[in-house]
Amino acid sequence: WSSTTWSNDLVAEGIYVGDASHKFIISLTDIGSVAMYSSTSPTASLSTGYSTTTYNGKTNTDVLLSTFGNDNSYASAKAYTTISPSGKNGYIGSVGEWNMVQTNITAINNLLTLLGVTTISGNYWTSSLYSTYRYYDYDGALSSSDYTSQSSSLKVRPFYTIN
């Protein structure tokens, strides 16, 4: 934008992350640390497995919401009820989406710093299921051995779809 077309009422949606095939917005801020779900029952009917090329966070979050409900003390509902400035519901990124974040983490954190908001650091939920009651997590790196019990408390940073 030029100074003649810039509007002071514009609000940043988040940070764009994408390639030719996959794209999303990651929120400018964390929204707290919560459990995926507090008990060992129910378990979400998600496919298990570690894949850095599966970008199904939105679909996974929808399954988690239908399994765990809209209790905002759990990660899927907390992400979903965080509405972007353009009115989109958030979701929890999958391992594949977090892998795209990891690939671009320096640039993303530089932008977040420039905007004066919290950079991505610490342990975050992914929506990718490791095994019954355990989900992969993002802790500054991704590994098939990084997983956490669903009753643990990890950070949530919403992702948003791009239409």
Side-chain angles (χ1 to χ4, degrees), residues 116-146:
V117 294
T118 307
T119 59
I120 296 171
S121 65
N123 290 11
Y124 293 85
W125 285 116
T126 78
S127 61
S128 300
L129 186 66
Y130 169 75
S131 66
T132 305
Y133 317 127
R134 291 178 178 83
Y135 292 81
Y136 289 105
D137 63 74
Y138 174 78
D139 60 2
L142 284 167
S143 162
S144 60
S145 61
D146 284 341

Side-chain angles (χ1 to χ4, degrees), residues 6 15 19 23 52 127-128 142 150 154 156:
W6 178 258
I15 303 294
D19 60 21
K23 58 187 182 249
T52 58
S127 61
S128 300
L142 284 167
Q150 71 182 20
L154 299 181
V156 177

